[in-house]
């Protein structure tokens, strides 16, 4: 799965959905946030977005 990238602005620190799922299976959101230098709120947003994208893929085939 590829993540649509915006042009310009700050570079994204967000891992791919697969990387995020792997990390979240062995780390807490707080640990992931510390590893990427972002807030816990940001990591939770990443997780929610990844879950939403995954459910959309399942329903769309």
């Amino acid at each position: 799965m590829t993540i649509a990238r915006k042009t310009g602005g700050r570079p994204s620190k967000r891992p791919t959905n697969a990387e995020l799922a792997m990390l979240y299976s062995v780390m807490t959101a707080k640990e992931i946030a510390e590893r990427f230098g972002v807030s816990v709120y940001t990591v939770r947003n990443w997780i929610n977005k990844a879950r939403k994208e995954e459910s959309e893929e399942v329903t769309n085939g």
Side-chain angles (χ1 to χ4, degrees), residues 2-61:
T2 57
I3 299 172
R5 304 280 184 198
K6 293 187 265 181
T7 58
R10 286 184 256 181
S12 176
K13 298 178 183 179
R14 185 179 189 268
T16 64
N17 290 350
E19 291 170 332
L20 186 60
M22 189 274 304
L23 289 171
Y24 196 56
S25 69
V26 295
M27 299 172 80
T28 65
K30 182 178 180 181
E31 291 169 332
I32 296 169
E34 290 171 354
R35 179 174 179 171
F36 284 91
V38 297
S39 70
V40 175
Y41 182 75
T42 297
V43 173
R44 289 185 182 142
N45 282 337
W46 290 347
I47 293 166
N48 289 334
K49 184 176 181 178
R51 286 178 179 162
K52 182 179 177 185
E53 289 174 358
E54 185 176 306
S55 70
E56 288 174 356
E57 284 181 7
V58 171
T59 49
N60 292 334

